[in-house]
Amino acid sequence: MVETANTQQPHPAQVAPPPPRPVVPLGAARGPAFPPTEQFQQLHYCIHSNPIWPIAFLLAFQHYIVMLGTIVLIASTFVPRMGGDHGDKARVIQTLLFMAGLNTLLQTCFGSRLPTVMSASFAFTLPVLSIINDYSDRVFPNEHERFVYTVRTIQGSLIVSSFVNILLGFSRAWGNFTKFFSPIVIVPVVCVVGLGLFTRGFPLLANCVEIGLPMLILLVLSQQYLKRIIPPIAHHICERFALLFCIGLIWAFAAILTAAGAYNNVGEQTKMSCRIDRSFLMSSAPWIKVPYPFQWGTPIFRASHVFGMMGAALVTSAESTGTFFAAARLSGATPPPAHVLSRSIGLQGIGMLLEGIFGAVVGSTASVENVGLLGVTRIGSRRVVQISTFFMIFFSIFGKFGAFFASIPLPIFAAIYCVLFGIVAAIGISFIQFANNNSLRNIYILGLSLFLGISIPQYFVMNTTPDGRGPVRTEGGWFDDILNTIFSSPPTVAIIVGTLLDNTIEAKHAVNDRGVPWWRPFQNRKGDARSDEFYSLPLRINEYIPSRFL
């Protein structure tokens, strides 16, 4: 018997399964993904780089023109209700311009150090209207006396309420409060800083469509589309100075319509909005007039008016904070640390104290439109804004020259604001890149903060009577003024809602989704090495000032 070999067949070699295909994120095959960027690469000049002097002066003059519209609008709104005439309105504009120049210089040198213009604020509307209403039934020898008495009362209220910002700032309370912020809070706050001013956009433009709408269209065409058909060497001219060219052209167009009699048979409101000769500033402004302390007389202090003004002072702190974050982003700086925000709010309080002493009719806040101008021109130079203070102070002293530019029709400014406020709102949206924008928790907080930040103030504005009485009406008028002022401010409502929700809804478990690891270093004095580069005081002043005041 022959032994047979093992007939068992060997198992075939097993083929390894193909490796799993990597999971490609939805949409990755259709285009690149853009990582978060702390600083814009398209800026031509950042916060501490400076254009040549001729360009710097032209850009500074442009900043002056942009901020002038708000000052003229405030004076035109309040002075007639206070009993003032055209000469009084001219002096109020001169005082507001002078204080804007002084406060901007202080803020850019010793405050936030950001390229922000400090200008008159509409946050003081309700307290000022409350003061005007209290004196509307009182008998005065003449209307000018009523105007002077009202201004003196506003002076006293501004002086006392300024200590709200001074204490919030230099006690570092405001900076400690901002440490509760995260990108989820900053997004709605900065967004509504721009969007909350929509009434000064197209609704104001629509008062004279034949001037405002061509200005808006021409500005967009000349700045964004014209550079496609002109030589590349002229691209920068379009980006930086299109606004000045457009103002000149539309202003001349308005002058032609006025001279041709196009507005001879229209309503008074249309004449005020469209004609270039209805402000009466050229005829009433003095050639030379230097604003000086207590120019209207001794301030009048009344507790019932002070409390409402304190609410407005608190509102300006919130508004300026949102504007500072937008300015930092558009000037190539890192987000302002907590100690810088405290310092800037404290100095804003000192500026408000000076405004009360010099007799301004409202306090100041950081100008949103001038921050938008940084994005339009792509120039975030601090020096340019500092030079603009020269124009503010010069034209506040030489009244006839300042009155010439103040006679620009307001719908032209409104067209400009449509662009500038929109840019600031979009800057707020850009902060979402530093948090998880795919988190439903974040989306919930963002949506609610944005919606309530616009909806609640709109309710208060719609239910406010022409004499300044808001929807909150109790037996305590001072209490009403505080609440009505606070909840009429979109940035203030957004800060309240956003901070509360972001720090109470799964705050500890969503630290990374909130963007806190990226945000936290910027909030500490030594958390980021670049902070000193952007925010340190000039001339080594910080070596001689206690750190608790910096």
Side-chain angles (χ1 to χ4, degrees):
M1 189 172 184
V2 180
E3 185 177 358
T4 60
N6 187 6
T7 60
Q8 186 176 3
Q9 297 296 326
H11 294 287
Q14 293 184 353
V15 179
R21 298 179 63 183
V23 179
V24 179
L26 183 63
R30 292 193 284 269
F34 298 97
T37 304
E38 292 182 354
Q39 295 170 304
F40 288 115
Q41 303 301 316
Q42 300 94 338
L43 294 176
H44 300 154
Y45 295 92
C46 64
I47 185 170
H48 47 51
S49 58
N50 305 306
I52 60 176
W53 287 103
I55 292 179
F57 269 87
L58 279 175
L59 291 167
F61 179 72
Q62 196 166 231
H63 273 282
Y64 160 73
I65 291 294
V66 166
M67 61 85 63
L68 183 61
T70 298
I71 288 180
V72 174
L73 183 58
I74 286 177
S76 301
T77 301
F78 292 137
V79 172
R81 296 189 180 190
M82 297 162 65
D85 56 18
H86 300 302
D88 295 324
K89 183 168 76 170
R91 288 186 63 186
V92 166
I93 291 175
Q94 287 179 272
T95 303
L96 291 175
L97 273 177
F98 184 83
M99 295 313 304
L102 183 60
N103 287 333
T104 301
L105 196 59
L106 288 174
Q107 197 67 243
T108 54
C109 291
F110 309 110
S112 68
R113 299 280 290 154
L114 290 166
T116 51
V117 171
M118 304 301 293
S119 184
S121 172
F122 272 97
F124 295 86
T125 296
L126 291 183
V128 170
L129 289 179
S130 178
I131 295 173
I132 294 173
N133 183 58
D134 279 358
Y135 295 144
S136 60
D137 297 330
R138 183 177 296 189
V139 178
F140 291 93
N142 52 60
E143 284 295 284
H144 180 72
E145 289 294 327
R146 183 165 74 90
F147 168 78
V148 172
Y149 199 85
T150 305
V151 174
R152 290 168 58 196
T153 306
I154 294 173
Q155 279 186 262
S157 300
L158 282 175
I159 290 172
V160 177
S161 63
S162 66
F163 288 96
V164 172
N165 284 354
I166 292 174
L167 292 176
L168 281 176
F170 293 124
S171 69
R172 295 188 294 183
W174 189 258
N176 291 331
F177 171 67
T178 61
K179 290 182 179 180
F180 290 97
F181 291 1
S182 74
I184 301 303
V185 179
I186 295 300
V187 169
V189 171
V190 179
C191 278
V192 299
V193 161
L195 295 179
L197 300 174
F198 67 91
T199 56
R200 288 159 56 190
F202 201 87
L204 184 60
L205 178 154
N207 290 337
C208 189
V209 177
E210 57 269 31
I211 292 177
L213 193 58
M215 176 66 194
L216 177 59
I217 295 173
L218 185 62
L219 180 59
V220 175
L221 289 177
S222 61
Q223 193 166 52
Q224 301 298 329
Y225 294 94
L226 184 61
K227 58 186 179 183
R228 298 184 181 183
I229 59 176
I230 61 175
I233 194 173
H235 285 185
H236 288 338
I237 297 178
C238 283
E239 288 180 349
R240 297 173 185 177
F241 305 115
L243 190 146
L244 285 180
F245 295 149
C246 293
I247 290 177
L249 287 175
I250 302 300
W251 193 11
F253 176 61
I256 293 173
L257 292 179
T258 301
Y263 304 114
N264 290 344
N265 300 314
V266 296
E268 189 63 28
Q269 181 60 43
T270 303
K271 290 181 180 180
M272 291 292 296
S273 300
C274 300
R275 294 180 66 97
I276 66 169
D277 57 356
R278 299 301 290 182
S279 64
F280 300 104
L281 293 175
M282 284 294 293
S283 58
S284 56
W287 279 103
I288 300 177
K289 181 72 174 181
V290 180
Y292 56 90
F294 307 115
Q295 58 183 323
W296 307 107
T298 306
I300 298 173
F301 299 92
R302 292 188 61 180
S304 59
H305 296 145
V306 166
F307 285 105
M309 204 69 78
M310 285 182 174
L314 183 62
V315 164
T316 59
S317 299
E319 293 178 347
S320 292
T321 299
T323 308
F324 288 149
F325 280 108
R329 189 109 173 89
L330 285 170
S331 62
T334 55
H339 72 281
V340 171
L341 291 173
S342 289
R343 187 176 71 199
S344 62
I345 296 303
L347 198 62
Q348 182 174 315
I350 292 178
M352 194 180 302
L353 176 63
L354 293 174
E355 285 162 342
I357 292 174
F358 277 81
V361 296
V362 294
S364 62
T365 188
S367 171
V368 179
E369 52 267 34
N370 288 88
V371 171
L373 187 61
L374 303 179
V376 168
T377 60
R378 303 188 182 187
I379 295 178
S381 171
R382 182 193 296 128
R383 178 181 292 176
V384 168
V385 174
Q386 289 173 334
I387 295 174
S388 71
T389 63
F390 163 78
F391 291 102
M392 299 174 201
I393 295 175
F394 175 85
F395 288 117
S396 70
I397 295 174
F398 297 94
K400 291 291 186 185
F401 299 101
F404 174 72
F405 295 106
S407 63
I408 298 174
L410 289 176
I412 293 180
F413 288 110
I416 299 171
Y417 295 159
C418 289
V419 176
L420 302 184
F421 292 158
I423 289 176
V424 174
I427 287 297
I429 297 173
S430 72
F431 278 96
I432 192 60
Q433 65 182 313
F434 306 115
N436 183 5
N437 57 2
N438 291 312
S439 165
L440 289 178
R441 176 227 180 240
N442 290 350
I443 291 174
Y444 179 90
I445 296 174
L446 288 172
L448 189 56
S449 301
L450 272 172
F451 185 82
L452 293 182
I454 295 176
S455 182
I456 292 177
Q458 183 64 13
Y459 165 78
F460 274 76
V461 171
M462 290 177 62
N463 290 277
T464 298
T465 60
D467 59 359
R469 294 179 180 176
V472 178
R473 299 178 186 178
T474 65
E475 294 181 357
W478 61 271
F479 180 76
D480 300 347
D481 288 342
I482 292 177
L483 288 187
N484 288 325
T485 300
I486 289 176
F487 288 102
S488 296
S489 166
T492 307
V493 174
I495 281 183
I496 294 172
V497 176
T499 305
L500 180 64
L501 295 179
D502 190 48
N503 287 276
T504 56
I505 299 178
E506 301 177 357
K508 293 183 179 180
H509 302 290
V511 171
N512 292 332
D513 286 347
R514 296 166 60 200
V516 173
W518 172 82
W519 180 260
R520 186 172 290 139
F522 298 117
Q523 294 304 294
N524 300 319
R525 187 182 297 271
K526 300 297 182 181
D528 190 277
R530 295 167 293 178
S531 293
D532 283 341
E533 175 186 357
F534 300 129
Y535 299 108
S536 61
L537 296 177
L539 305 176
R540 302 170 65 181
I541 294 176
N542 40 327
E543 296 181 5
Y544 307 99
I545 301 177
S547 60
R548 64 180 179 273
F549 295 123
L550 295 177

